[in-house]
Amino acid sequence: MTDVIVKLPEPILRMQAATVSNFGTAELKQIVADMFQIMQEKQGVGLAAPQIGISQRIFVYGFDSSARYPNAAAVPKGVAINPEIIWGSEEQIDREEGCLSVPFKRGIVTRAKSITFKYQDLEGKVLEKTLHDFAARIVQHEIDHLNGILYIDLAKEVHDSQLI
Ligand code: NI
């Protein structure tokens, strides 16, 4: 079976993803359900729609435990559509991160420790959430995906890793 995860150098990973305008549809619900399933199967902590070949502004995140980030505390699951960061803390943190679309690599990326982001849910309702630490990092990484940015563009260094 071919891997459903789109990897570098597929051009879709470098595209600006399209804004979602139809909410509450069976199609949107199916995309999000598929994304949660794939994220869990791949031990992802977040997954953006372009990573499964869908260039739309949707991401999912959250995990109980992840073999890819064994030291990370659980993050509650969520879905965000048309997300936008509206506040980031001045305090920044360096941490190693990876990406299913850039397998077997890791790099240290500096990101805001805390963020507030605005997004829509499956029904189109506009919501806001403030997250900290690893959860905030995941959201920043996934929103970057929707703008064609990969963590390797931001990392101080990128090295080979045994973990995907
Ligand atoms: Ni990624």
Side-chain angles (χ1 to χ4, degrees), residues 42-106:
K42 300 292 179 185
Q43 295 283 304
V45 296
L47 185 73
Q51 294 184 274
I52 59 163
I54 297 170
S55 193
Q56 296 186 34
R57 305 188 77 78
I58 306 166
F59 74 86
V60 297
Y61 63 103
F63 61 98
D64 296 323
S65 68
S66 169
R68 293 178 58 243
Y69 298 94
N71 300 320
V75 170
K77 291 186 177 68
V79 54
I81 300 169
N82 301 331
E84 189 187 334
I85 292 176
I86 56 175
W87 174 79
S89 62
E90 273 180 44
E91 186 181 355
Q92 298 190 314
I93 292 185
D94 284 1
R95 191 196 197 283
E96 189 176 83
E97 60 187 77
C99 180
L100 291 169
S101 295
V102 190
F104 299 109
K105 300 277 184 193
R106 290 288 162 109

Side-chain angles (χ1 to χ4, degrees), residues 11-150:
I12 193 171
L13 293 172
R14 293 309 198 172
M15 287 169 60
Q16 192 77 16
T19 300
V20 174
S21 48
N22 292 322
F23 291 90
T25 64
E27 186 192 357
L28 183 60
K29 287 173 190 166
Q30 189 61 57
I31 289 171
V32 170
D34 289 348
M35 288 174 67
F36 273 115
Q37 189 186 343
I38 293 164
M39 178 174 68
Q40 277 172 270
E41 280 174 10
K42 300 292 179 185
Q43 295 283 304
V45 296
L47 185 73
Q51 294 184 274
I52 59 163
I54 297 170
S55 193
Q56 296 186 34
R57 305 188 77 78
I58 306 166
F59 74 86
V60 297
Y61 63 103
F63 61 98
D64 296 323
S65 68
S66 169
R68 293 178 58 243
Y69 298 94
N71 300 320
V75 170
K77 291 186 177 68
V79 54
I81 300 169
N82 301 331
E84 189 187 334
I85 292 176
I86 56 175
W87 174 79
S89 62
E90 273 180 44
E91 186 181 355
Q92 298 190 314
I93 292 185
D94 284 1
R95 191 196 197 283
E96 189 176 83
E97 60 187 77
C99 180
L100 291 169
S101 295
V102 190
F104 299 109
K105 300 277 184 193
R106 290 288 162 109
I108 304 284
V109 184
T110 305
R111 296 199 189 268
K113 175 181 167 63
S114 304
I115 56 146
T116 299
F117 70 113
K118 194 172 82 171
Y119 61 99
Q120 286 169 280
D121 69 8
L122 282 166
E123 303 302 323
K125 187 176 175 192
V126 178
L127 301 164
E128 255 182 50
K129 193 175 279 184
T130 298
L131 295 174
H132 310 282
D133 301 308
F134 196 51
R137 175 171 298 272
I138 294 168
V139 168
Q140 291 170 80
H141 176 118
E142 300 311 330
I143 291 178
D144 280 347
H145 268 300
L146 306 180
N147 295 319
I149 297 165
L150 300 171

